[in-house]
């Protein structure tokens, strides 16, 4: 798709009424430094706090510069779905994806565009110099997740963010992936395209509240690891093989004792073995179940989101 739009900025938002006005003001200033046609695409991921009305207001304020476009989901489908909807809608030769809570500073966008314009860069990624301020439990959970993800998929995403500029080629590839359970940061790294980083210190969230509860983060971590690695399944096999070798040795020992008449009632051993084996089998079945649940979700081919409202385009291009 070729269009005369140079840049699209995609912002997924969920109950960001308190922050989105400031994002819009700062973004509008930042985008005025860019020499080329720009569109801002806001995806309202089922907000219940008047975020969508604010987006309609931006469109009236902007009067076509930049172009303001938007979609609203009927319920909360999650940030990954919102980003996908925005990328599908974007028409720019480059697309920036950023959060709508000022934790991804809009003033960095012109520098990202400059880097992209310089040459053969497919992705410009804003990387965290340090992690955003967060509670002890969140920091621990994030560190465990990134270690597990690194261990299972080989990708180190500790400093990665969703704040990225993607070249049109990358956007076209990304939207063609058929999977529903997506991990934007993981998939863009997986593509193996030429990527450059630009460092920043994510500020603390000053407006609104973080949308992820610890249990929601846990659910996402589960999908991300499952969609990028089958290592947990292989671990089950390895445990099974180790268990088998162990049982074989135990069998030989038992037979030997039986033969020499030294067999004794090994009640604690039996109990321990039943407990150990039982829990290993259950864990294995549970892990396989997790993968089957994800496969089931994928084969149903349900759309990743449902749009209930869209801002009509001012112009068709
Ligand atoms: N977000 C979304 N849908 C969700 C949760 C979050 O579109 O279900 C948006 C949110 O409005 C924000 C961005 O995703 O623009 C990042 O969310 P948040 O600030 O809560 O997370 P964090 O900064 O901790 O990653
Ligand atoms: Mg945030």
């Amino acid at each position: 798709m070729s269009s005369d739009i140079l840049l699209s900025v995609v912002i997924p938002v969920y109950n960001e009424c308190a922050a989105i006005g400031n994002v819009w003001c700062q973004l509008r200033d930042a985008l005025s430094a860019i020499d080329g046609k720009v569109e801002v695409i806001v995806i309202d991921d089922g907000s219940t706090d008047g975020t969508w009305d604010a987006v309609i207001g931006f469109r009236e304020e902007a009067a076509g510069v930049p172009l303001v476009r938007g979609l609203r989901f009927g319920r909360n489908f999650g940030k990954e779905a919102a980003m996908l909807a925005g990328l599908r809608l974007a028409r720019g030769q480059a697309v920036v994806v950023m959060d709508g809570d000022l934790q991804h500073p809009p003033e960095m966008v012109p520098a990202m565009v400059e880097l992209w314009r310089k040459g053969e860069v497919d992705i410009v990624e804003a990387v965290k110099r340090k992690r955003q301020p967060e509670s002890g439990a969140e920091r621990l959970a994030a560190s465990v997740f990134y270690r597990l993800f690194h261990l299972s998929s080989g990708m180190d995403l500790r400093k990665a963010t969703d704040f990225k500029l993607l070249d049109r080629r990358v956007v076209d590839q990304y939207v063609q992936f058929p999977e529903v359970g997506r991990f934007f940061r993981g998939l863009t790294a997986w593509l193996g395209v030429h990527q450059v980083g630009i460092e920043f210190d994510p500020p603390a969230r000053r407006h609104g509240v973080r949308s992820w509860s610890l249990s929601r983060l846990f659910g996402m971590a589960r999908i991300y690891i499952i969609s990028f690695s089958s290592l947990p399944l292989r671990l089950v096999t390895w445990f099974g093989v180790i268990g088998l070798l162990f049982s074989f040795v135990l069998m030989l020992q038992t037979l030997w004792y039986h033969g020499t008449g030294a067999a004794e009632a090994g009640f604690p051993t039996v109990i321990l073995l039943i407990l150990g084996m039982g829990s290993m089998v259950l864990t294995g079945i549970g892990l396989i179940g997790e993968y089957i649940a994800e496969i089931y979700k994928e084969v149903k081919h349900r759309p990743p989101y449902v749009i209930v409202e869209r801002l009509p385009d001012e112009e068709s291009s």
Side-chain angles (χ1 to χ4, degrees):
M1 176 180 69
S2 78
S3 87
D4 59 339
I5 295 176
L6 177 78
L7 178 73
S8 308
V9 179
V10 169
I11 315 176
V13 286
Y14 176 54
N15 290 342
E16 296 290 3
C17 194
I20 193 76
N22 288 322
V23 176
W24 165 245
C25 290
Q26 292 189 21
L27 189 63
R28 207 179 162 182
D29 287 351
L31 294 179
S32 63
I34 291 171
D35 176 21
K37 208 165 173 184
V38 178
E39 63 178 9
V40 175
I41 299 176
V42 185
I43 310 297
D44 180 354
D45 185 13
S47 301
T48 49
D49 69 345
T51 303
W52 182 246
D53 294 334
V55 177
I56 295 172
F58 304 155
R59 185 192 173 88
E60 280 155 19
E61 259 176 59
V65 185
L67 293 169
V68 177
R69 307 170 72 204
L71 294 178
R72 186 166 75 80
F73 296 167
R75 67 165 174 87
N76 182 240
F77 281 91
K79 185 184 177 187
E80 293 288 341
M83 288 192 290
L84 175 64
L87 288 169
R88 281 181 175 164
L89 196 65
R91 298 172 296 188
Q93 290 151 35
V95 182
V96 168
V97 177
M98 62 182 287
D99 285 1
D101 60 355
L102 285 180
Q103 288 195 290
H104 293 166
E107 64 268 20
M108 283 176 66
V109 174
M112 294 166 88
V113 172
E114 265 323 293
L115 270 175
W116 165 70
R117 272 181 156 168
K118 264 190 200 150
E120 289 297 298
V121 180
D122 292 309
I123 298 180
V124 180
E125 182 190 18
V127 283
K128 293 176 205 161
R129 210 172 282 133
K130 59 172 176 52
R131 285 194 62 80
Q132 66 197 53
E134 56 197 348
S135 73
E138 282 171 340
R139 188 183 300 268
L140 180 72
S143 136
V144 171
F145 165 68
Y146 285 116
R147 263 165 222 278
L148 278 178
F149 191 79
H150 189 191
L151 189 82
S152 52
S153 72
M155 290 186 218
D156 185 2
L157 299 180
R158 248 171 311 171
K159 293 189 170 170
T161 65
D162 288 336
F163 190 14
K164 290 182 202 295
L165 177 148
L166 310 182
D167 185 85
R168 168 57 44 199
R169 284 192 301 270
V170 179
V171 177
D172 289 344
Q173 280 163 344
Y174 186 81
V175 297
Q176 272 170 25
F177 287 145
E179 59 203 89
V180 178
R182 279 168 190 257
F183 183 25
F184 181 62
R185 261 171 290 167
L187 280 175
T188 46
W190 177 87
L191 282 170
V193 294
H194 184 209
Q195 189 157 342
V196 292
I198 172 167
E199 287 196 317
F200 81 117
D201 291 312
R205 207 187 222 280
R206 269 176 299 156
H207 312 273
V209 285
R210 200 177 187 209
S211 329
W212 320 113
S213 62
L214 222 52
S215 70
R216 202 171 164 195
L217 283 174
F218 182 78
M220 277 160 48
R222 181 184 138 270
I223 294 175
Y224 292 164
I225 291 178
I226 287 178
S227 65
F228 270 88
S229 170
S230 48
L231 184 72
L233 282 180
R234 263 181 279 139
L235 280 179
V236 176
T237 317
W238 292 343
F239 278 132
V241 172
I242 292 168
L244 197 72
L245 291 176
F246 184 64
S247 340
F248 186 66
V249 173
L250 221 70
M251 189 181 77
L252 288 181
Q253 190 203 39
T254 314
L255 284 177
W256 171 257
Y257 282 165
H258 190 72
T260 56
E264 273 175 44
F267 198 58
T269 320
V270 173
I271 296 278
L272 284 177
L273 275 177
I274 290 175
L275 282 177
M277 287 299 186
S279 42
M280 256 167 66
V281 169
L282 280 182
T283 315
I285 294 174
L287 255 172
I288 295 166
E290 295 286 343
Y291 278 82
I292 293 176
E294 282 314 302
I295 296 169
Y296 182 47
K297 227 196 266 172
E298 295 291 336
V299 298
K300 276 190 285 190
H301 293 300
R302 274 196 198 149
Y305 52 81
V306 177
I307 299 165
V308 290
E309 208 172 334
R310 59 174 82 222
L311 289 180
D313 289 336
E314 300 91 341
E315 47 151 43
S316 48
S317 63

